[in-house]
Amino acid sequence: FFFSSRRRHTRLQGDWSSDVCSSDLSAHYNLGYCYLKSANYAAALQQFEKAVPSAKQSSTVFEQDGYVRQADGNFMLKQYTQARNIYQKVIDYGWRAADYATFQKAMIAGISSSKTKIDLLKSIETNYPTSSLLGEAVMEIAKTLMSDERFREAIPYLSSVVQSDTSHPYHTEALLQLGIAWYNLDEY
């Protein structure tokens, strides 16, 4: 999911002042993104750890993003405990990527518990009502319910995506899943 990080990276670059990061840290950060883009997650993680060796609540936007990418590297390497701990710290610090960290934490939780995953995804709407991830969170709730064969519970989530906007990126998928849900309920 973090491939939208490229979009976030571009947006965040404008927030950095030239005195925020040394050229070495910036080089490690940029190398981290290069490795991330080429799917070399171990090397990306290593570079982000060099760019941002520690984080604190008052970390700069640069440091915050580098720290989140450390979590992403761990996530892609299936080091879920480390990833979850970093995402939790992002949430606890209230950084601008807290909605994203919550989403990613939900994906990790879904490995062992659909209920926890759904609860975390629902918390995005409550805790981050203006998040750009709301549509994705709603669709992920619906997909989780569908995979658990809880078709009737998935219908309101799928319907909200369908009714929101025809240009919504998940509109077509939601329509298809809605049809599958009704079919499985023998109500077609």
Side-chain angles (χ1 to χ4, degrees):
F1 175 79
F2 66 82
F3 293 103
S4 65
S5 65
R6 209 171 353 137
R7 181 178 61 222
R8 184 183 305 270
H9 175 252
T10 304
R11 187 180 75 229
L12 292 175
Q13 280 181 325
D15 292 342
W16 303 343
S17 60
S18 58
D19 61 345
V20 168
C21 52
S22 76
S23 59
D24 284 349
L25 295 181
S26 181
H28 288 299
Y29 180 87
N30 288 323
L31 275 171
Y33 266 99
C34 290
Y35 285 126
L36 198 62
K37 187 175 179 182
S38 65
N40 187 342
Y41 305 115
L45 175 59
Q46 193 174 49
Q47 293 302 317
F48 285 122
E49 286 173 339
K50 288 179 183 177
V52 187
S54 64
K56 51 191 177 296
Q57 190 161 9
S58 61
S59 291
T60 65
V61 172
F62 166 81
E63 293 166 329
Q64 291 177 25
D65 191 64
Y67 197 62
V68 170
R69 299 307 144 222
Q70 288 178 33
D72 292 339
N74 281 305
F75 181 91
M76 293 306 293
L77 293 169
K78 296 183 169 110
Q79 298 169 349
Y80 299 122
T81 301
Q82 296 93 319
R84 185 180 52 244
N85 292 340
I86 294 172
Y87 289 133
Q88 185 59 54
K89 197 176 274 191
V90 170
I91 295 164
D92 292 344
Y93 286 163
W95 290 348
R96 63 171 66 184
D99 59 339
Y100 172 77
T102 303
F103 188 94
Q104 291 297 92
K105 236 183 104 179
M107 298 301 103
I108 294 168
I111 294 168
S112 59
S113 170
S114 295
K115 181 187 179 337
T116 305
K117 177 182 179 181
I118 291 170
D119 290 345
L120 282 166
L121 290 167
K122 286 179 179 180
S123 77
I124 293 174
E125 184 174 16
T126 305
N127 298 330
Y128 314 103
T130 60
S131 173
S132 62
L133 298 173
L134 285 176
E136 291 171 73
V138 168
M139 194 63 196
E140 194 60 42
I141 291 169
K143 288 179 187 180
T144 303
L145 292 167
M146 291 290 288
S147 70
D148 287 350
E149 298 184 4
R150 294 163 56 192
F151 305 113
R152 192 163 306 281
E153 292 174 64
I155 289 172
Y157 294 99
L158 293 166
S159 295
S160 74
V161 172
V162 168
Q163 294 168 0
S164 64
D165 181 7
T166 56
S167 66
H168 190 285
Y170 293 106
H171 185 264
T172 305
E173 182 181 357
L175 274 171
L176 175 65
Q177 293 297 316
L178 196 55
I180 292 170
W182 286 117
Y183 179 83
N184 281 301
L185 292 169
D186 291 327
E187 296 181 25
Y188 49 94

